[in-house]
Amino acid sequence: MSPKSRIPRPDPGDSWVPRPKRRETPLGLLRHAATFLGSCVLGGVLLAGLILPAAGAVGLGAKNGAEGFQSIPDDFKTPPLTQATQIFDAKGGLIAKVYERDRTVIPADRMSPLIRKAQVDIEDSRFYEHGAVDLKGVLRAITKNAESGAAVQGASTLTQQYVKNVNVELAGDDPVAVREAQRKTLGRKIQELRYAIKLEEDLPKEQILTNYLNITFYGHQAYGIEAAAQRYFGRSAKDLDLPEAAMLAGLVQNPSQYDPKLHPVAAKKRRDTVIDKMVENKHITADQAREAKAAPLGLNYQEPQNGCITAQAGMGFFCDYVRHVVRQDPAFGKSAGERKKLWDTGGLNIYTTLDPDKQAAAQNAVSTKVYVSDPVSAAMTMVEPGTGKILAMAQTRPYGLAKEKNQTVVNFNVDAAMGGGVGFQPGSNFKPIVAAAALEAGLPPTQQYDAPNRMDWPTMKTCDGTWKNLSKGKKEGVIPNESPSEKGPYALKQAMALSVNTYFVQMEQEIGLCAVKQMANKLGVTARAGGDPLQEVPALGLGTQEVSPLTMANVYATFAARGSYCAPVAISRITTVDGKDVPVAPVHCDQVMSEDTADVLNSVLLGVTEKGGTARDLQLDDGRQIAGKTGTTDEKKSAWFTGYTGNLSASVWLGSPGTKIPMRNIRIGGQYQAEVYGATGPGPIWQQAMSDAVRGMPDKEFTTVVIPDPVRRDPGCGTPTDPSVPAGCTGAPSPGATGRPRGTGPSTGGQNGGQNGGSTGGRNGGSTGGPTSDQTWGQTGGAIGGLIGRATPYTPPDDGGDQ
């Protein structure tokens, strides 16, 4: 019969096999013992100097030793440990947990007494009896290691281990600093001993143990006992029972070797060893030990959930936007380094503005109307007018790194500086900005231009000079309208509803490019999405310079808020894990245009969604009032719809982010489209999402003004004030008129009301001088006249000068 092998058999289901003990000769054992003893003698000599630095230390120098001893950093006792940060939506739901190290620091009273006893018993059973150095432990280690022929037992106290962990923690993510903190050199050991001694002087044992339990690593990305309890058992550290506490305490020595998922048998043996230690130290009874050993490991393992990639309901991009806000907003630190440290250190509870219901509505719309596998994608942002709060941020392509699954980490809703790309040309979505600049400059709501079907780009004034068309007669020197039938004259409301290019080019020419750029800046369009400055060229007003959906949603939210622009807000509150508030940037709003201008714009943009407008088919399910504007770029490479109610603004972009695919003869969301426009591509996405999002919200209508619809006048109709106007002719301003509007109506009373616009008599025009119809026309004319009357008389810019 062969002799029994000294190598233990591997347990079934366990992939870890203990290494066999190495045979040693008596001479070899003596050599190990002598080596270890020599090191300890040297350490003892050094230790004597550390313990009594002021009394004179052998080989260290009394004065220098005392001064060095006192130089322990103040934050070493309770260092700012890296913790997990939690990001919540506006209703308190968890969006994601992000961390450099998954840790939640907790006080002693939130730790089970069993884990505190188990950790001490297996790591340093004489913790409460010795100082920073356990001389008995040193001698015991010498004996054990000499007997085994290997370093199977260390002599570091729990306090010394804590010091080592702090050094590693303070090294952060710098690999060189981490290696230095872990180096087993004499100098490093001396420093650790010095700090351990000082900590034992300054902190009670219970606090050192609490600190140790919060800092130590338990495997599977779990740092600290709270994260470990959650990782392996799905429960808090305060609720750990005896078998659970013993298993976790046993992990610390070697989290890989005793990994309960990979090596369950080894983990159970280690757990039982801890239980035996607890019996030995009289912390539990033999009966308790037998019952605990009989219990299975009982794992309820929770996979590590780290980063925005774990966010649900398409919230990953918003989560990433929050990260950029914290890393860039001066409210969170004066320097980039301070802000990075705040984010990396973590331990924050970040409460955001994201509305989970509106987010679900937006995500559902962009996902059902556009498939992930489609050659194009969609993105949508919702903003609350009057506050700038971002309520939803969704896109078709999911957040992630798997390109084969059409995932991306580029947030199509925001500018490059905030995690987005270079943005997309908004097309006619930009035209309301031109209109806002014109109205603020003093042009009337009834402003008309001949708006031919096509025209050369005209000379235009810029902030610093003049732009001139150097390509007249060439294709690039001409601007056409979308349809051959589009030719003026048009007034503002008609031109906006039909999105007439040449009308807005003539408007730009009259007010100058500088006014357009300045209005764009006021509305938050301070640069192109990629970071380049806006160029003062005529095509600016037609939306050829890239922006993001967040930017456009906020522009239109300003219209809804009657001219009050509020910077986008994603974070409403931040607290630390111990409940302290972290200052956040306050809501910042400015009145960037008059309420009168905003009211006219809202009235004009209502016309886009009414009969005859490009977005006439995009009504919401509950029929509430909406305003907005379509936008389609050249070759149909991008299409937009930005629209709003009185209390919610949303912008939708549709297109290909990289290859710029023309959206012609294309299938999107399973539907064939011969040609995509703002009203037919992004429009239905906006309609579906907004119908769901506004459900249950108050129906807030706009403050509007009546803008008379001009008509084309036949030559026989005469002038508006001609008493011989034939039947069927109205008193609308003549085509091409660019002067102040006049009140219209069949009687002089109504006309005079408009002509006196801006005065009390103008606003009441016709109220005492004519029939009811005259009163209505007079009041309308007075309202328009009042709007114009407040403005400085407008003088068209000089066309002279060079570009």
Side-chain angles (χ1 to χ4, degrees):
M1 184 174 181
S2 61
K4 293 183 178 179
S5 171
R6 296 188 180 183
I7 302 176
R9 292 177 177 275
D11 294 284
D14 195 349
S15 60
W16 175 76
V17 179
R19 192 185 307 175
K21 290 185 178 180
R22 185 173 56 186
R23 290 177 178 273
E24 289 283 0
T25 64
L27 183 61
L29 292 173
L30 182 60
R31 184 170 61 250
H32 284 300
T35 301
F36 191 84
L37 182 60
S39 299
C40 290
V41 169
L42 176 59
V45 172
L46 294 170
L47 180 60
L50 288 167
I51 293 173
L52 299 171
V58 178
L60 292 179
K63 186 173 184 296
N64 291 338
E67 291 175 352
F69 185 84
Q70 299 297 334
S71 65
I72 179 173
D74 291 336
D75 64 351
F76 198 92
K77 301 171 189 176
T78 53
L81 301 180
T82 302
Q83 301 185 65
T85 284
Q86 298 185 100
I87 302 174
F88 300 94
D89 63 35
K91 292 187 176 180
L94 181 66
I95 293 175
K97 184 165 70 169
V98 297
Y99 51 81
E100 295 295 319
R101 291 180 177 173
D102 188 6
R103 176 190 283 121
T104 301
V105 175
I106 57 174
D109 60 9
R110 288 179 55 190
M111 300 176 183
S112 167
L114 290 168
I115 187 59
R116 297 177 71 84
K117 293 173 182 176
Q119 201 73 70
V120 169
D121 288 346
I122 194 62
E123 294 284 325
D124 185 1
S125 60
R126 298 185 64 255
F127 174 64
Y128 292 101
E129 301 170 27
H130 60 66
V133 179
D134 182 9
L135 295 179
K136 284 187 178 181
V138 171
L139 294 175
R140 184 175 63 251
I142 293 172
T143 303
K144 289 286 186 181
N145 293 341
E147 290 176 351
S148 66
V152 298
Q153 186 173 111
S156 293
T157 64
L158 189 147
T159 305
Q160 289 173 266
Q161 293 176 51
Y162 169 66
V163 170
K164 181 181 290 185
N165 280 331
V166 171
N167 282 327
V168 173
E169 181 74 21
L170 294 177
D173 55 2
D174 183 344
V176 176
V178 170
R179 284 196 299 272
E180 179 63 26
Q182 294 174 330
R183 285 180 61 195
K184 296 180 179 180
T185 63
L186 184 59
R188 174 64 61 186
K189 193 67 176 177
I190 291 173
Q191 185 198 60
E192 288 178 0
L193 288 172
R194 177 189 300 158
Y195 282 9
I197 294 168
K198 190 70 171 74
L199 285 173
E200 290 269 357
E201 287 184 357
D202 294 345
L203 297 178
K205 289 281 190 177
E206 290 295 342
Q207 185 60 53
I208 293 174
L209 175 59
T210 298
N211 291 357
Y212 178 76
L213 287 166
N214 274 318
I215 200 173
T216 197
F217 180 57
Y218 290 87
H220 285 274
Q221 301 181 40
Y223 289 81
I225 190 59
E226 179 65 15
Q230 296 288 355
R231 177 76 73 253
Y232 294 104
F233 300 110
R235 61 198 306 184
S236 175
K238 67 182 175 59
D239 299 321
L240 293 170
D241 60 23
L242 177 56
E244 294 167 343
M247 195 209 81
L248 293 179
L251 276 176
V252 173
Q253 186 185 69
N254 194 327
S256 298
Q257 179 174 313
Y258 302 121
D259 183 341
K261 279 183 65 63
L262 297 178
H263 312 301
V265 176
K268 186 175 185 301
K269 285 184 177 180
R270 177 66 175 169
R271 181 199 71 177
D272 292 350
T273 298
V274 176
I275 293 172
D276 289 339
K277 280 287 186 181
M278 295 181 76
V279 174
E280 181 182 322
N281 289 288
K282 297 182 172 54
H283 286 140
I284 60 173
T285 66
D287 288 341
Q288 289 174 316
R290 279 193 296 273
E291 183 180 352
K293 286 183 177 182
L297 287 178
L299 293 182
N300 180 20
Y301 184 76
Q302 312 291 313
E303 286 288 347
Q305 298 291 310
N306 181 24
C308 296
I309 200 168
T310 64
Q312 302 298 312
M315 296 182 185
F317 296 101
F318 179 78
C319 170
D320 188 66
Y321 180 78
V322 169
R323 178 176 69 88
H324 279 82
V325 171
V326 174
R327 295 283 293 269
Q328 295 186 37
D329 193 328
F332 302 112
K334 295 180 180 179
S335 68
E338 289 179 7
R339 297 189 292 271
K340 181 179 185 299
K341 183 178 180 181
L342 175 67
W343 179 264
D344 292 347
T345 302
L348 306 174
N349 292 320
I350 302 178
Y351 300 93
T352 72
T353 60
L354 198 75
D355 185 309
D357 297 327
K358 291 175 176 54
Q359 174 67 24
Q363 189 61 43
N364 183 52
V366 298
S367 300
T368 57
K369 295 291 187 182
V370 184
Y371 296 160
V372 172
S373 57
D374 285 345
V376 296
S377 187
M380 181 178 196
T381 297
M382 294 182 181
V383 173
E384 182 177 73
T387 67
K389 291 181 180 179
I390 303 170
L391 304 181
M393 188 177 283
Q395 70 185 52
T396 302
R397 296 190 180 180
Y399 187 85
L401 298 171
K403 291 185 178 179
E404 69 277 7
K405 297 180 181 178
N406 291 307
Q407 294 179 351
T408 182
V409 293
V410 178
N411 186 350
F412 300 147
N413 279 288
V414 301
D415 292 351
M418 301 304 290
V422 296
F424 315 99
Q425 293 181 349
S428 297
N429 237 218
F430 201 91
K431 288 173 180 173
I433 298 177
V434 178
L439 291 167
E440 283 292 285
L443 268 64
T446 52
Q447 178 67 37
Q448 289 195 32
Y449 296 106
D450 55 1
N453 183 253
R454 54 193 299 114
M455 61 182 288
D456 289 330
W457 290 104
T459 299
M460 296 190 188
K461 290 288 290 183
T462 66
C463 292
D464 300 315
T466 303
W467 182 92
K468 287 187 176 182
N469 186 352
L470 302 179
S471 301
K472 287 185 177 180
K474 300 178 182 178
K475 182 179 179 181
E476 60 269 25
V478 176
I479 176 65
N481 289 329
E482 176 67 27
S483 169
S485 63
E486 287 179 359
K487 51 187 176 181
Y490 291 110
L492 175 59
K493 188 174 180 181
Q494 291 173 299
M496 189 72 76
L498 297 175
S499 200
V500 181
N501 289 337
T502 57
Y503 177 91
F504 289 95
V505 169
Q506 290 181 298
M507 179 171 273
E508 272 189 310
Q509 181 190 23
E510 185 159 358
I511 63 174
L513 288 170
C514 191
V516 176
K517 180 182 178 181
Q518 290 173 346
M519 177 54 67
N521 291 167
K522 291 178 182 179
L523 291 167
V525 191
T526 56
R528 299 168 79 163
D532 294 334
L534 292 176
Q535 295 180 322
E536 287 184 77
V537 293
L540 169 66
L542 302 186
T544 59
Q545 299 186 44
E546 299 83 2
V547 293
S548 65
L550 171 58
T551 296
M552 295 311 295
N554 212 31
V555 167
Y556 284 61
T558 305
F559 302 154
R562 301 190 73 194
S564 176
Y565 167 82
C566 299
V569 175
I571 299 172
S572 56
R573 185 184 176 214
I574 298 181
T575 64
T576 59
V577 289
D578 55 0
K580 296 179 181 177
D581 284 326
V582 175
V584 300
V587 174
H588 179 76
C589 300
D590 289 311
Q591 193 72 29
V592 298
M593 66 181 71
S594 72
E595 290 186 349
D596 287 340
T597 292
D599 292 345
V600 170
L601 280 172
N602 291 331
S603 303
V604 168
L605 293 173
L606 277 169
V608 177
T609 63
E610 294 173 346
K611 184 178 180 181
T614 56
R616 57 187 175 275
D617 296 326
L618 300 181
Q619 301 305 307
L620 300 185
D621 290 348
D622 63 4
R624 73 177 63 200
Q625 200 178 48
I626 61 172
K629 185 71 186 76
T630 54
T632 312
T633 65
D634 289 345
E635 300 181 22
K636 310 298 186 293
K637 291 180 179 178
S638 284
W640 293 71
F641 184 75
T642 305
Y644 56 104
T645 65
N647 45 18
L648 184 61
S649 175
S651 184
V652 179
W653 160 83
L654 175 67
S656 58
T659 55
K660 303 296 183 184
I661 298 172
M663 289 184 288
R664 294 191 178 98
N665 300 314
I666 190 171
R667 294 188 72 84
I668 301 176
Q671 301 295 319
Y672 171 80
Q673 296 198 44
E675 208 163 23
V676 172
Y677 293 91
T680 61
I685 298 173
W686 183 93
Q687 182 183 36
Q688 177 181 320
M690 286 288 284
S691 288
D692 290 340
V694 301
R695 193 169 290 119
M697 292 181 68
D699 185 357
K700 183 179 180 181
E701 294 192 348
F702 304 110
T703 301
T704 59
V705 297
V706 177
I707 303 174
D709 293 325
V711 296
R712 295 189 181 186
R713 297 181 54 78
D714 295 326
C717 284
T719 64
T721 55
D722 189 342
S724 62
V725 173
C729 291
T730 65
S734 58
T738 57
R740 306 275 186 240
R742 295 182 294 177
T744 56
S747 74
T748 304
Q751 296 165 14
N752 289 339
Q755 291 168 342
N756 293 330
S759 67
T760 303
R763 291 194 178 276
N764 296 327
S767 61
T768 59
T772 303
S773 60
D774 290 1
Q775 296 172 26
T776 301
W777 282 109
Q779 290 166 354
T780 299
I784 297 170
L787 174 64
I788 303 309
R790 62 158 180 82
T792 303
Y794 178 74
T795 303
D798 181 12
D799 289 339
D802 297 324
Q803 184 177 353

